[in-house]
């Protein structure tokens, strides 16, 4: 698909039925009916950055900050094993107390004890630090670039830098990680053209995973009260990303489930092949408040596991076999 065709398909006035049907077909041919479950551990909501959209940005005094101990993180990983998930995603803000050295020690423990595939989502570090984390046993890394629009990026991320963000993605690839990135859909000031550029960039970067969620305005941030993205926009982006990038792993995201109780089901029907059920301790979940209304804050890990299995069954899908590593460089 060329850029003009992508822009036309993103237009909210066009009927998305054919787009979704094609994306579903491409998904089935490229990655099959299996859905990979990745257990999400939100291990710290401390963050040194002040991204305008994010509820846990530095300086938000309304957030109750928490940081799981290495033992607690290991406990979450044991829960993942018990629930027969094959991957844990360890995500946090950019917490200076969990720098690469501390984190590497935890990764090594989790890997040695559980043998699970490990995905990190912890932000921007140096090439050397990424190599340390890779050597400790982490397999994959998620770092969304959030938007391909340079101007919008600099407005949203006051203490980040557009070129450095992409340099980090290159470092991760060089360090031997399977690399995921992604964006938010429906950011204020985001044009259809820039969303088309996002999708073409996913392809150009040859990403292993691509995560897309609707922007949801967070109170206590500079973007409080802004218009949120729509599920429709996020679903169109998922569908187009599937068609354009073919065999990437694409999650049905929590933000989609937050905007619409059937949001994740809809994403699985138009290109997505991954779910990331939460396995963080219940008492901390509500505090990992990137945006309001986040689902699963009242559920135990077992309940989310039951919920996602029922969801898959209702869609005629099933858990995928194996670790669900990248399909690009097998
Ligand atoms: N709405 C939607 N998604 C958000 N994220 C952060 N804040 C918000 C928000 N207000 C997403 C970002 C980040 C991921 C972990 O969560 O894309 O990369
Ligand atoms: Fe958590 Fe459905 S996945 S309740």
């Amino acid at each position: 698909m060329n850029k003009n065709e992508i822009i036309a398909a993103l237009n909210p006035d066009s009927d998305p039925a054919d787009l979704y049907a094609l994306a579903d077909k491409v998904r089935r041919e490229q990655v099959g009916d299996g859905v990979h479950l990745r257990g999400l551990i939100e291990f710290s909501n401390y963050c040194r950055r002040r991204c305008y959209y994010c509820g846990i940005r530095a300086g938000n005094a309304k957030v109750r900050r928490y940081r799981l101990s290495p033992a607690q993180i290991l406990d979450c990983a044991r829960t993942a094993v018990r629930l027969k998930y094959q991957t844990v995603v360890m995500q946090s803000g950019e917490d200076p107390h969990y720098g690469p050295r501390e984190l590497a020690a935890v990764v090594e423990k989790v890997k040695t004890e559980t043998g699970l595939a490990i995905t990190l989502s912890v932000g921007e570090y140096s090439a050397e630090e990424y190599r340390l984390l890779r050597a400790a046993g982490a397999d994959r890394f998620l770092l969304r670039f959030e938007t391909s629009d340079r101007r919008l990026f600099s407005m949203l991320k006051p203490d980040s830098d557009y070129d450095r963000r992409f340099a980090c993605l290159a470092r991760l690839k060089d360090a031997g990680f399977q690399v995921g990135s992604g964006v938010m859909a429906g950011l204020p000031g985001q044009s259809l053209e820039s969303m088309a550029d996002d999708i073409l960039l996913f392809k150009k970067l040859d990403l292993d995973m691509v995560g897309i969620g609707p922007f949801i305005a967070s109170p206590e941030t500079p973007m409080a009260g802004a218009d949120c993205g729509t599920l429709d926009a996020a679903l169109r982006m998922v569908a187009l990303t599937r068609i354009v990038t073919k065999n990437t792993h694409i999650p049905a995201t929590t933000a989609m489930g937050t905007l619409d109780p059937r949001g994740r089901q809809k994403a699985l029907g138009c290109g997505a092949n991954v779910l990331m059920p939460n396995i963080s301790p219940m008492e901390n979940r509500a505090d990992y408040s990137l945006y309001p209304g986040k689902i699963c804050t009242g559920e135990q890990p077992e309940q989310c596991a039951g919920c996602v299995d029922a969801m898959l069954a209702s869609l005629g899908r099933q858990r995928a076999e194996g670790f669900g590593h990248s399909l690009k460089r097998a």
Side-chain angles (χ1 to χ4, degrees):
M1 275 177 115
N2 67 33
K3 185 160 158 183
N4 283 330
E5 291 168 326
I6 296 174
I7 293 173
L10 286 169
N11 190 321
D13 297 328
S14 68
D15 181 351
D18 290 347
L19 172 70
Y20 293 170
L22 176 59
D24 197 41
K25 176 169 171 276
V26 173
R27 187 270 306 157
R28 192 175 316 114
E29 289 166 0
Q30 296 284 333
V31 302
D33 280 336
V35 174
H36 295 285
L37 304 187
R38 327 285 205 196
L40 177 64
I41 309 172
E42 300 153 333
F43 67 89
S44 165
N45 69 353
Y46 284 88
C47 193
R48 59 179 166 153
R49 306 218 188 255
R50 295 165 299 160
C51 303
Y52 278 7
Y53 47 83
C54 183
I56 63 168
R57 62 200 299 271
N60 183 356
K62 292 277 167 70
V63 182
R64 185 167 56 172
R65 302 284 170 175
Y66 73 90
R67 179 183 289 127
L68 302 187
S69 67
Q72 284 177 300
I73 297 174
L74 197 59
D75 253 352
C76 293
R78 291 184 186 123
T79 300
V81 172
R82 189 156 40 81
L83 298 174
K84 299 198 160 58
Y85 300 158
Q86 314 249 35
T87 296
V88 281
V89 179
M90 294 170 50
Q91 185 177 86
S92 69
E94 288 195 18
D95 179 353
H97 281 87
Y98 263 121
R101 292 186 153 283
E102 296 80 17
L103 204 52
V106 183
V107 165
E108 200 171 327
K109 279 207 187 83
V110 171
K111 192 69 171 189
T112 310
E113 183 182 315
T114 68
L116 291 166
I118 299 175
T119 304
L120 296 177
S121 175
V122 297
E124 297 180 15
Y125 289 102
S126 69
E128 191 180 22
E129 290 166 325
Y130 284 148
R131 282 196 298 267
L132 178 73
L133 292 166
R134 176 80 184 106
D139 304 276
R140 314 186 191 123
F141 203 107
L142 307 177
L143 186 76
R144 290 189 181 177
F145 59 77
E146 314 296 0
T147 173
S148 60
D149 180 332
R150 189 182 277 276
R151 241 191 84 246
L152 187 56
F153 184 100
S154 64
M155 280 164 37
L156 296 173
K157 296 175 79 69
D159 31 33
S160 194
D161 176 86
Y162 186 86
D163 295 311
R164 189 182 65 208
R165 194 81 176 170
F166 287 96
C168 282
L169 287 169
R171 287 172 198 161
L172 287 164
K173 200 170 191 173
D174 287 345
F177 282 104
Q178 299 166 48
V179 179
S181 191
V183 297
M184 286 174 282
L187 289 161
Q190 191 181 37
S191 64
L192 295 185
E193 185 184 355
S194 86
M195 290 159 75
D197 286 333
D198 294 344
I199 293 164
L200 292 170
L201 197 47
F202 296 152
K203 176 160 175 77
K204 185 168 165 220
L205 293 171
D206 194 28
L207 296 166
D208 301 295
M209 295 99 64
V210 176
I212 296 161
F215 161 69
I216 303 174
S218 226
E220 310 299 330
T221 69
M223 293 170 83
D227 286 340
C228 296
T230 61
L231 180 65
D232 179 74
L235 292 174
R236 285 173 196 257
M237 286 199 79
V238 163
L240 288 161
T241 299
R242 170 60 68 203
I243 294 164
V244 169
T245 69
K246 303 210 162 60
N247 61 351
T248 38
H249 290 306
I250 302 178
T253 55
T254 306
M256 292 178 159
T258 297
L259 274 196
D260 176 339
R262 292 192 49 79
R264 289 175 300 172
Q265 289 89 325
K266 290 175 183 170
L268 289 170
C270 68
N273 72 318
V274 172
L275 280 168
M276 298 169 64
N278 202 314
I279 52 170
S280 308
M282 254 233 335
E283 57 269 31
N284 302 116
R285 284 185 189 198
D287 295 324
Y288 201 79
S289 46
L290 306 180
Y291 47 80
K294 198 179 77 159
I295 54 171
C296 303
T297 54
E299 278 75 19
Q300 296 286 357
E302 294 63 27
Q303 290 173 286
C304 287
C307 171
V308 298
D309 281 327
M311 185 190 305
L312 295 183
S314 76
L315 297 171
R317 305 274 281 275
Q318 62 292 124
R319 290 188 184 207
E321 307 271 334
F323 287 113
H325 284 310
S326 171
L327 298 164
K328 305 243 164 183
R329 43 208 110 242

